[in-house]
Amino acid sequence: MARLRFLTTVDFFPFNYLDAENRLSGLHVDLAREICAELEIMERCQVQALPWDELDTALENRQGEAIIAGMAITAENRERYLFSRPYLRFPARLVTRRGEKLTEPLHTAIAGKRVGVLGASAHEMLLRDLFPEAQSVVYSRTGWLFDDLKSGRIDAVFGDGVKLSFWLAGQNSENCCTFAGGPYLAPEYLGQGLAIAVPRDMPQLAQAIDFALHSINASGRFTDIYLRYFPVGFY
């Protein structure tokens, strides 16, 4: 292969974005370079950012060999691309106030508790199915949800672990709260996670990327990358 060019965007913080010095940065950029290092092709490794709506055409025209930009693994996209193994899944998590953590087993401890969740979301459906004994309190705005958790009007929040980790690490949480219990990985509700897309006529590249991802994960290097961008881990 003459090169391995990963295509990404600049509007998916903290996965791919421009930093304060206008350099392409993020978890995806670091991961792409780590893949190239594992495959021993750093001198032929490139990462290029394009607008989201140009990624498909660019790959079709062989302006790049892989897309690493948070593309959803859907049935429609599987008809167009081969996908690597998922390298990151987005779990659902519970958050409670500090000092009021739910004890195991959670399905017992949460019975009768008021648990806030965004309405008309996959997390609302998952909450009702996982914890039917909890009292679901549905919100239309994230700000109201967090305000009620901090004030004690609800006992917990159930939602996307990534967004919750950023809130917990940020100033708006006022260090009030913490994750409770473990992550809930439910692909039938929350999707298959993040993977790398390559053209369907390049199965060997997909296999090579899978090999690299496996090695990076097994060695702990992916955890190192992950913790650079998520100081409050959502697992």
Side-chain angles (χ1 to χ4, degrees), residues 176-225:
C176 70
C177 306
T178 186
F179 283 129
Y184 297 93
L185 295 168
E188 65 273 26
Y189 293 87
L190 306 175
Q192 300 295 320
L194 298 180
I196 298 168
V198 303
R200 290 195 61 83
D201 61 356
M202 300 184 73
Q204 290 181 323
L205 175 58
Q207 292 169 9
I209 290 174
D210 273 352
F211 166 80
L213 289 173
H214 174 77
S215 299
I216 292 165
N217 189 59
S219 68
R221 282 174 288 160
F222 182 78
T223 299
D224 293 339
I225 296 172

Side-chain angles (χ1 to χ4, degrees), residues 97-178:
R97 291 183 302 283
R98 292 186 183 278
E100 299 182 22
K101 295 180 68 172
L102 299 171
T103 58
E104 298 288 353
L106 278 181
H107 70 274
T108 300
I110 206 171
K113 299 287 188 182
R114 290 169 53 83
V115 181
V117 67
L118 287 176
S121 67
H123 296 96
E124 181 188 1
M125 294 186 290
L126 182 56
L127 173 64
R128 296 182 189 278
D129 288 348
L130 277 179
F131 303 112
E133 301 301 317
Q135 183 179 346
S136 299
V137 183
V138 178
Y139 289 79
S140 60
R141 294 188 182 181
T142 304
W144 297 344
L145 178 74
F146 290 147
D147 287 346
D148 281 3
L149 176 64
K150 288 193 292 185
S151 68
R153 284 188 285 270
I154 56 177
D155 301 297
V157 162
F158 187 74
D160 176 66
V162 178
K163 293 178 181 177
L164 289 172
S165 74
F166 276 112
W167 181 71
L168 290 173
Q171 294 182 351
N172 289 339
S173 72
E174 299 174 341
N175 201 33
C176 70
C177 306
T178 186

